[in-house]
Amino acid sequence: YMPHWEEFISAINGYQHTLKCVNKDVRYVRYRTCLSLFNMELPNRVLDSLSRGLETTHFESISLHNNSFGENGIDFLLSYMQNNPILEELHLGENPIDKSDDFDQLCEMVQEHPSLEHIELIGCNGEELNGFEMLCSIINVGSKKLKEIDLTDNGIGTGGSTFLSDFLATNPILKRLTLVGNRFNDEDATLIAAALKHNTNLISLDLQENDMMTRVGWEALYKAEFDDTSLNSAADSNHMCQIDYPNELTEMDGREQNRKGV
């Protein structure tokens, strides 16, 4: 299989200026050079070749999903980030980070990188990693630079901590926060809803598939976005953040449609 990889790397190096991809989100009109490797194993020999071949080929976005590359894959990723000063987006999915030291190194790289503003770690909490500690670490190192954070499916539960809501209440530069499929509950949702009253920068929040959240939590979030108790409460609501609600909440969906139609 190596000749095919060598040919692929050679093609990238010779054709790099025309490699463009478009984010499908119509609200995010921005062309980026992008390297995406989905659902293919990246054994050590391939990682070594990629590392050498990409030393001078800089993409603005890299996506690595379900590659079964383990610790060596993390080393490759860290090396690529260090050698690539124009990287803006890092997408890592279904590639568990098993060692806390590896995650700490990734966080240091996020903090030090000159242009990174979007990080996606989907299903990456490995053997030694705690989901909530992942969230706290990413926020701590990226609070002044990251505009998008996606930590879907990492088993994140706050255990009653107000760290996330306290962070959101400071009105950081973060634009999009995706925490789908974790362990947030109604108490967390209520705290986040209160924080949104002080936040004018966040434009997208997705907490779907957090099974510990009930209608109580979703109602609190809805009221933060649009409290129709009175004209004053409606005016004081958060008019910037778009919250994604579960499809089964039909009553709330109906009110959302009414609000948009006003």
Side-chain angles (χ1 to χ4, degrees), residues 34-95:
C34 179
L35 172 65
S36 299
L37 299 174
F38 281 70
N39 301 321
M40 58 182 69
E41 290 190 14
L42 298 176
N44 293 345
R45 290 180 62 192
V46 172
L47 289 172
D48 290 342
S49 294
L50 280 172
S51 184
R52 291 192 302 270
L54 295 175
E55 284 181 355
T56 58
T57 303
H58 297 156
F59 292 89
E60 293 168 307
S61 175
I62 184 169
S63 298
L64 302 173
H65 284 252
N66 191 27
N67 306 116
S68 304
F69 54 37
E71 184 177 354
N72 291 323
I74 300 300
D75 291 339
F76 158 75
L77 182 61
L78 294 173
S79 176
Y80 183 71
M81 293 175 68
Q82 186 173 22
N83 292 327
N84 183 358
I86 69 169
L87 186 69
E88 297 179 6
E89 295 185 2
L90 168 62
H91 304 264
L92 192 65
E94 306 302 330
N95 284 304

Side-chain angles (χ1 to χ4, degrees), residues 206-218:
D206 195 344
L207 286 165
Q208 295 186 85
E209 299 178 28
N210 279 272
D211 294 338
M212 298 179 71
M213 281 179 58
T214 69
R215 181 173 291 273
V216 173
W218 289 111

Side-chain angles (χ1 to χ4, degrees), residues 13-194:
N13 288 326
Y15 207 51
Q16 56 180 299
H17 299 297
T18 63
L19 293 173
K20 297 285 185 179
C21 72
V22 180
N23 190 304
K24 294 182 180 179
D25 188 341
V26 295
R27 298 166 297 175
Y28 203 67
V29 181
R30 171 75 161 85
Y31 288 88
R32 281 184 171 83
T33 54
C34 179
L35 172 65
S36 299
L37 299 174
F38 281 70
N39 301 321
M40 58 182 69
E41 290 190 14
L42 298 176
N44 293 345
R45 290 180 62 192
V46 172
L47 289 172
D48 290 342
S49 294
L50 280 172
S51 184
R52 291 192 302 270
L54 295 175
E55 284 181 355
T56 58
T57 303
H58 297 156
F59 292 89
E60 293 168 307
S61 175
I62 184 169
S63 298
L64 302 173
H65 284 252
N66 191 27
N67 306 116
S68 304
F69 54 37
E71 184 177 354
N72 291 323
I74 300 300
D75 291 339
F76 158 75
L77 182 61
L78 294 173
S79 176
Y80 183 71
M81 293 175 68
Q82 186 173 22
N83 292 327
N84 183 358
I86 69 169
L87 186 69
E88 297 179 6
E89 295 185 2
L90 168 62
H91 304 264
L92 192 65
E94 306 302 330
N95 284 304
I97 304 174
D98 290 325
K99 294 186 177 180
S100 56
D101 288 345
D102 290 338
F103 184 71
D104 290 342
Q105 291 183 62
L106 177 60
C107 288
E108 290 177 11
M109 188 62 64
V110 170
Q111 185 174 33
E112 296 171 1
H113 200 278
S115 59
L116 189 70
E117 59 182 31
H118 178 165
I119 187 166
E120 176 183 287
L121 302 176
I122 297 178
C124 289
N125 61 322
E127 296 176 357
E128 296 182 7
L129 294 186
N130 173 278
F132 183 63
E133 291 176 358
M134 285 180 64
L135 171 65
C136 294
S137 296
I138 290 296
I139 287 177
N140 281 331
V141 300
S143 60
K144 296 181 179 180
K145 65 184 305 180
L146 292 178
K147 296 180 181 178
E148 300 186 43
I149 297 175
D150 186 341
L151 294 177
T152 293
D153 291 335
N154 282 296
I156 301 171
T158 66
S161 171
T162 62
F163 178 86
L164 177 58
S165 56
D166 290 344
F167 167 68
L168 293 175
T170 65
N171 201 23
I173 66 171
L174 185 67
K175 295 292 185 183
R176 291 181 172 86
L177 178 62
T178 304
L179 297 168
V180 173
N182 285 291
R183 298 179 58 80
F184 292 94
N185 57 31
D186 290 338
E187 180 182 357
D188 299 320
T190 302
L191 289 169
I192 292 171

Side-chain angles (χ1 to χ4, degrees), residues 185-186 188-197 205-207 213-230 233-246 248-262:
N185 57 31
D186 290 338
D188 299 320
T190 302
L191 289 169
I192 292 171
L196 290 179
K197 295 180 180 180
L205 174 65
D206 195 344
L207 286 165
M213 281 179 58
T214 69
R215 181 173 291 273
V216 173
W218 289 111
E219 287 278 0
L221 289 169
Y222 181 85
K223 283 204 168 187
E225 188 183 21
F226 181 63
D227 186 350
D228 58 359
T229 304
S230 67
S233 65
D236 291 337
S237 299
N238 184 313
H239 301 289
M240 296 298 297
C241 187
Q242 177 70 48
I243 299 173
D244 291 310
Y245 297 99
E248 60 266 24
L249 297 180
T250 54
E251 293 178 12
M252 220 174 297
D253 291 341
R255 286 184 295 171
E256 178 70 4
Q257 292 300 320
N258 292 334
R259 180 175 74 86
K260 291 179 179 179
V262 173

